[in-house]
Amino acid sequence: MNDLPILDVQGVSKYFGGLQANEDVSFHVNKGEIVSIIGPNGAGKSTLFSCVTGFHRLDKGRVLFKGQDISNWKPHSIGKLGVVRTFQIAQVISDMTVLENVMTGAFLRHTNVPDVRRKAEKVLTFTGLFEKRESNATALSISDKKRLEVSMALAMEPELLMLDESMAGLTVVELREMIELIRKVRESGITVVVVEHVMEAVMELSDRVVVLNSGRKIVEGPPKEVVANPEVIRAYLGERYNAVRQ
Amino acid sequence: MQGISSKQMALGGVALALLIIFPLLVDSSFGQHVMILTFMFAMCGVAWNVMGGYAAMFSFGQVAFFGIGAYASSFLLLTFNISPWIGLVAGGLISALLAAGIGYPCSNLRGHYFAIATIAFAEIIRIVFNNWKLMGAAEGITIPMLKESLANFMFHSSKLPYYYIMLAFLLVSIAVCYWVSTSKMGYYFRAIKESHEIAKVLGVDVVRYRLYAIMISAFLTSMAGTFYAQYILYIDPESVMIMPISVQIVLVAMLGGANTVLGPVIGAAVLIPLSEYSRAWLGYKGTGVDMIVYGTLITIIAMYQPEGVWGSITNLMRRRK
Amino acid sequence: MEQLAQQLVNGILIGLVYSLLAIGLTLIWGVMNVLNFAHGEFLMIGMFISYWLYSLAGIDPLLSIPLNAVALFLFGMFIYRFVISKVMKGPALAQLVVTFGISIFLANFAALIWTPNFRSIEHTLLSGTWDISGVKLSIPKFVTSIGSVLTSLGVFWFLRNTRIGKAILAVEMDREAAVIMGINTERINSLSFGIGSALVGVAGALLATNYYIYPFVGGSFSLVCFCIVALGGFGSIEGAFIAGILVGVVQTLGGYIFDPAYKLAIVFAMYLITVWIRPQGLRGL
């Protein structure tokens, strides 16, 4: 059994010109966990994702995946290794159908087109988009687009899935469905890290929560503890955030 | 997916049959010549499509590969007596390597920046060849007369062999394009077209796949160049390395329908006869009336049918359903 | 050493005119994302207007500048209104093809009505050279570049200090925001195209004294112009100005140091190297 955390972020710092987006952020994720990263707007959550997945160069620190140093690796190599991320605004390929989008992801692990198609169909069944597989990707609703993005990621057979605000803009019902989907993903053996604003999802899903504020990690722990932490409350003071959009 | 449906296959089969018997029925030398040029530009258009239509790498410098193909095989034949068929492959490989060489530093260029880089590249090639004594500089190269045979890739008594060879080349390029479009490469190209970011997230090595696109495109275009040299038997920078050829290739692909396998074929079928016949009928005084007509027509087509002829046809077919 | 200085000066002079050409093109690009492939042909028209005014009415090219500007301004707006605007909503490729078509049409139409012959303007108001410690400054060329600089400065001033100019800048920066602010972007498009063309018209008058005038002269100017615009960063007027001078210098010095036949090749190579290191050109420097 693995003692090593599947993801180990050590002292990651990232500057943009004069702005310090991440400062000395350290935390780890164990295999099979669901960890949420929360914090007020501008806390550096998405930047952290980009640093971990190779979209930004680290100015300081390291990122280890299953003990292997992947700091500053190229994004496609990190993807091949088993770490896949999504984006705040769901990125899908617009001149393809839903199925073709997922197939593109599946091509990472298979080369034979029939195999790839079969794999894509399996994934779509898992995420509940099978019925819509022939629709053009741009014709989907926001919630379905997010599910498509997750499907594309799952087709790549990741060990670690990093979701960037997958709950934003969802209705109550859609939120429930997304929470269920993420649970299913974890149950299938994939470790999940989410950046989230929607506290209901955070409370329900997370084994642990990491809180960022102004680029630094301020608290880490089980959800109930973190939410009651006075420092966290202070960080959010004055911040109005929507837990759920009706 | 912009592959070929079974209805299209059937139509294609009929068209192919017609094309095969065409020169046997129509004896006009000029007519055969126009068809040969049409096939040639169709092939270049299909080749362009692999990088421009699928991966959104808009090249306006394809003539560089065309010219290099022509010069490579001709030089090898002239100087070392190497068979043009070997020259064909050699030219293709040289073009592909050169394409990779220019493509690599341009890996992060998209849209207009990339287009202008391709223009700059092609112009450099033209200027170099225009001054390169070994390659004949501005005088160019005259392909040595050999005995008429397939092995020599040379025919004197009739255009028919050239016609069928070029048609075969075209079919090869269509097959390659089709294969690319339905394979992993095709999917990855289209991811790259959407955005480099999303391609990277999906695990695509963007740099590598862009190089694949440009190399395949260059190789095919270079083949067309070698053919041209063996057909016309004289090449110089002003005939095989000038920008209007690059433009013609883009027009053929775009007006036919970029992003589809057969679009460039249709585009060539419309544009090449148009420019050749209008030059024959209207251009005799050197007044360029044929080009005026040409320029007007492509402007109008782009204004009112931006999806290209192929796009309009498929739209029409879709509406009928 | 003297020769080097001479070439440098020549390079700057020609570069300043390139700048004017490039500013016109980059303005159009910045505002509406259209790369006008017919830019060189607009220049050709400008040159011919000056030529005909000179040979038929004896008007010196320098004096024809305002006429050129107005004529090309109107022409540009006309082309925009009746052709370009129709493809604004379509794919980018269609826009490119349209401007290609226009360039082919204009060059060949000019060849039809004016014959493809080369023309030149022999006697101008100003002539002669100044000798500044061994470096010869051709007076006509010098005045040409001064004219270019003044026009460029005029454009800068116009964009920053007039209502319309600021509206153009606004659209260039953020089209959607400009629409929300109530700016009539269609009108701005057409004005920008007109102004960009007017600048080319001025350049045409300025270049008419130094170059052979013929219907196909636009071609090579277009290509160099694209490189300049890309080097300066698409849409950046300051960038186009600086890049224009840079290209003029590189072209002249390169031709002098290496081989005049390779002048343009050196320019294009410089473009490729620059863009390789810094994809966005000089923008932001």
Side-chain angles (χ1 to χ4, degrees):
Chain A
M1 211 62 239
N2 259 337
D3 301 288
L4 281 171
I6 191 171
L7 181 69
D8 196 350
V9 177
Q10 298 176 349
V12 163
S13 300
K14 177 71 192 170
Y15 312 88
F16 289 115
L19 176 69
Q20 180 124 36
N22 289 136
E23 192 175 335
D24 198 27
V25 176
S26 302
F27 67 95
H28 67 278
V29 179
N30 299 313
K31 187 165 155 60
E33 280 190 307
I34 298 182
V35 172
S36 294
I37 302 180
I38 66 172
N41 276 325
K45 309 186 291 294
S46 286
T47 308
L48 187 62
F49 258 34
S50 291
C51 287
V52 169
T53 50
F55 282 90
H56 286 147
R57 286 197 69 78
L58 304 178
D59 289 318
K60 283 204 201 101
R62 307 196 295 167
V63 177
L64 301 170
F65 176 70
K66 297 201 307 189
Q68 186 174 12
D69 192 337
I70 61 167
S71 315
N72 294 319
W73 274 34
K74 292 230 164 68
H76 66 88
S77 311
I78 293 180
K80 232 187 176 131
L81 201 58
V83 182
V84 183
R85 72 165 291 183
T86 62
F87 290 92
Q88 274 180 295
I89 302 175
Q91 298 237 33
V92 297
I93 302 172
S94 37
D95 76 343
M96 283 188 184
T97 62
V98 166
L99 181 63
E100 288 168 339
N101 265 277
V102 181
M103 282 172 72
T104 310
F107 269 115
L108 186 64
R109 308 286 181 201
H110 310 271
T111 31
N112 183 322
V113 174
D115 287 342
V116 165
R117 175 165 299 133
R118 230 172 295 131
K119 167 85 192 173
E121 287 171 346
K122 243 175 48 184
V123 170
L124 286 171
T125 313
F126 182 87
T127 57
L129 280 177
F130 188 78
E131 306 298 310
K132 304 200 174 129
R133 68 193 183 285
E134 295 297 338
S135 316
N136 184 279
T138 48
L140 297 179
S141 64
I142 291 188
S143 137
D144 280 343
K145 271 204 188 111
K146 286 179 181 268
R147 261 199 286 171
L148 174 56
E149 222 194 353
V150 172
S151 311
M152 289 159 77
L154 290 177
M156 294 167 68
E157 295 172 28
E159 289 186 54
L160 175 62
L161 183 61
M162 302 182 66
L163 301 172
D164 198 342
E165 295 204 35
S166 44
M167 314 283 176
L170 299 182
T171 66
V172 181
V173 175
E174 290 166 346
L175 187 62
R176 195 91 317 265
E177 288 170 351
M178 187 57 96
I179 291 176
E180 280 320 303
L181 178 59
I182 295 181
R183 275 224 181 88
K184 261 175 81 171
V185 167
R186 190 256 286 270
E187 269 154 40
S188 73
I190 299 173
T191 310
V192 184
V193 176
V194 299
V195 159
E196 222 18 274
H197 272 303
V198 179
M199 293 311 290
E200 180 182 331
V202 172
M203 298 304 290
E204 265 212 53
L205 283 170
S206 322
D207 298 320
R208 278 186 301 124
V209 177
V210 172
V211 186
L212 296 184
N213 186 28
S214 300
R216 287 197 199 84
K217 181 183 90 170
I218 55 177
V219 160
E220 184 185 340
K224 289 215 174 72
E225 270 180 39
V226 163
V227 161
N229 184 307
E231 246 201 280
V232 173
I233 298 174
R234 228 178 303 135
Y236 276 97
L237 243 181
E239 281 260 3
R240 309 188 103 235
Y241 55 89
N242 283 327
V244 164
R245 199 191 62 154
Q246 291 295 334
Chain B
M1 185 64 246
Q2 304 294 352
I4 306 182
S5 74
S6 52
K7 193 190 292 183
Q8 295 174 357
M9 285 280 274
L11 282 171
V14 171
L16 184 59
L18 286 173
L19 287 175
I20 291 177
I21 55 177
F22 170 84
L24 303 170
L25 300 175
V26 178
D27 207 20
S28 149
S29 177
F30 184 67
Q32 291 168 2
H33 172 72
V34 171
M35 291 301 283
I36 291 173
L37 286 185
T38 303
F39 294 160
M40 197 180 78
F41 274 100
M43 177 175 187
C44 292
V46 169
W48 183 91
N49 214 12
V50 172
M51 44 183 295
Y54 292 154
M57 296 165 71
F58 302 129
S59 166
F60 279 85
Q62 294 300 84
V63 75
F65 307 126
F66 183 81
I68 287 173
Y71 268 93
S73 61
S74 304
F75 177 76
L76 289 174
L77 179 62
L78 185 66
T79 319
F80 301 115
N81 234 325
I82 294 180
S83 158
W85 292 103
I86 298 184
L88 178 79
V89 176
L93 290 173
I94 295 173
S95 288
L97 279 170
L98 212 64
I102 187 68
Y104 181 72
C106 293
S107 292
N108 287 319
L109 297 183
R110 289 184 63 107
H112 289 82
Y113 287 101
F114 182 78
I116 292 186
T118 61
I119 295 176
F121 166 70
E123 279 295 289
I124 291 175
I125 300 278
R126 181 184 63 82
I127 293 172
V128 165
F129 272 79
N130 215 20
N131 291 287
W132 195 355
K133 293 264 166 37
L134 189 64
M135 295 289 161
E139 271 93 56
I141 294 181
T142 307
I143 283 78
M145 282 294 196
L146 298 175
K147 215 179 72 165
E148 174 166 347
S149 80
L150 185 61
N152 286 338
F153 203 155
M154 200 171 292
F155 313 94
H156 308 298
S157 50
S158 136
K159 286 194 164 60
L160 250 61
Y162 284 118
Y163 180 97
Y164 289 115
I165 291 178
M166 192 62 237
L167 181 56
F169 278 14
L170 175 60
L171 292 173
V172 164
S173 62
I174 290 177
V176 168
C177 191
Y178 180 69
W179 169 76
V180 166
S181 73
T182 50
S183 72
K184 171 172 170 174
M185 220 188 288
Y187 281 83
Y188 276 11
F189 285 170
R190 289 194 301 160
I192 292 174
K193 173 155 82 163
E194 178 68 32
S195 91
H196 283 200
E197 206 174 44
I198 197 178
K200 288 175 189 171
V201 168
L202 288 166
V204 178
D205 185 342
V206 172
V207 171
R208 174 190 293 231
Y209 276 86
R210 278 176 62 122
L211 288 180
Y212 287 161
I214 199 172
M215 286 171 77
I216 293 174
S217 188
F219 192 97
L220 292 173
T221 309
S222 171
M223 283 173 68
T226 295
F227 174 88
Y228 179 87
Q230 293 301 120
Y231 176 54
I232 301 289
L233 297 177
Y234 169 69
I235 58 172
D236 68 336
E238 281 304 301
S239 60
V240 298
M241 283 182 164
I242 49 173
M243 192 166 159
I245 294 179
S246 293
V247 172
Q248 181 82 296
I249 294 174
V250 175
L251 290 176
V252 158
M254 195 240 119
L255 286 175
N259 201 15
T260 67
V261 177
L262 292 178
V265 179
I266 310 274
V270 170
L271 278 180
I272 304 303
L274 171 68
S275 67
E276 290 300 311
Y277 278 107
S278 59
R279 181 171 338 132
W281 295 336
L282 301 168
Y284 51 87
K285 280 199 219 129
T287 48
V289 174
D290 58 315
M291 291 305 285
I292 295 175
V293 172
Y294 182 78
T296 314
L297 260 149
I298 63 176
T299 306
I300 293 179
I301 294 181
M303 276 165 73
Y304 296 108
Q305 289 293 4
E307 246 139 90
V309 178
W310 184 253
S312 339
I313 294 178
T314 44
N315 278 339
L316 259 163
M317 287 186 2
R318 224 176 285 145
R319 246 175 263 146
R320 285 235 191 90
K321 279 196 204 143
Chain C
M1 193 56 224
E2 220 169 64
Q3 259 294 30
L4 206 61
Q6 175 75 62
Q7 296 298 329
L8 185 63
V9 167
N10 285 347
I12 294 178
L13 292 183
I14 188 69
L16 284 170
V17 184
Y18 277 164
S19 295
L20 193 60
L21 271 177
I23 289 176
L25 189 61
T26 211
L27 182 67
I28 294 174
W29 162 266
V31 168
M32 59 192 107
N33 245 22
V34 169
L35 194 62
N36 183 13
F37 268 98
H39 204 66
E41 277 64 40
F42 282 31
L43 175 69
M44 180 269 295
I45 292 177
M47 288 170 86
F48 263 103
I49 292 178
S50 292
Y51 175 76
W52 291 119
L53 285 172
Y54 168 79
S55 73
L56 297 177
I59 299 176
D60 184 272
L62 280 175
L63 299 176
S64 73
I65 288 179
L67 287 157
N68 275 28
V70 170
L72 265 304
F73 176 79
L74 293 172
F75 183 67
M77 281 187 62
F78 172 82
I79 293 281
Y80 178 78
R81 176 111 204 287
F82 289 102
V83 185
I84 312 262
S85 57
K86 307 266 187 289
V87 287
M88 289 304 289
K89 292 207 171 57
L93 217 44
Q95 294 164 8
L96 285 173
V97 174
V98 159
T99 56
F100 262 131
I102 294 173
S103 88
I104 295 174
F105 178 88
L106 288 176
N108 285 281
F109 191 72
L112 181 68
I113 56 178
W114 294 326
T115 82
N117 293 332
F118 284 42
R119 273 96 153 185
S120 66
I121 294 180
E122 302 295 321
H123 306 289
T124 53
L125 215 57
L126 303 161
S127 60
T129 39
W130 283 332
D131 199 313
I132 306 177
S133 56
V135 172
K136 290 199 184 1
L137 201 58
S138 144
I139 294 182
K141 282 205 170 91
F142 179 71
V143 173
T144 298
S145 14
I146 293 291
S148 186
V149 173
L150 288 176
T151 313
S152 305
L153 289 175
V155 174
F156 287 147
W157 181 89
F158 172 80
L159 288 174
R160 274 162 189 69
N161 293 302
T162 64
R163 229 187 81 224
I164 296 183
K166 288 193 218 176
I168 291 177
L169 283 179
V171 172
E172 197 173 354
M173 271 190 272
D174 190 337
R175 188 172 205 92
E176 284 168 17
V179 170
I180 295 175
M181 300 288 276
I183 295 177
N184 182 342
T185 50
E186 204 41 35
R187 199 167 145 249
I188 295 290
N189 277 359
S190 135
L191 273 172
S192 305
F193 211 89
I195 294 175
S197 308
L199 291 176
V200 174
V202 173
L206 294 173
L207 287 173
T209 46
N210 297 316
Y211 280 83
Y212 281 118
I213 303 162
Y214 61 104
F216 297 99
V217 73
S220 54
F221 276 108
S222 282
L223 295 182
V224 175
C225 214
F226 299 152
C227 276
I228 296 174
V229 164
L231 257 179
F234 278 98
S236 163
I237 294 182
E238 300 85 353
F241 185 75
I242 296 174
I245 301 175
L246 194 61
V247 166
V249 169
V250 167
Q251 180 183 318
T252 318
L253 279 181
Y256 171 69
I257 296 173
F258 299 105
D259 188 333
Y262 286 97
K263 268 196 320 220
L264 288 181
I266 295 170
V267 169
F268 293 133
M270 177 186 78
Y271 169 77
L272 286 175
I273 294 172
T274 310
V275 151
W276 175 9
I277 303 173
R278 215 187 130 82
Q280 69 269 49
L282 300 173
R283 195 168 211 172
L285 273 176

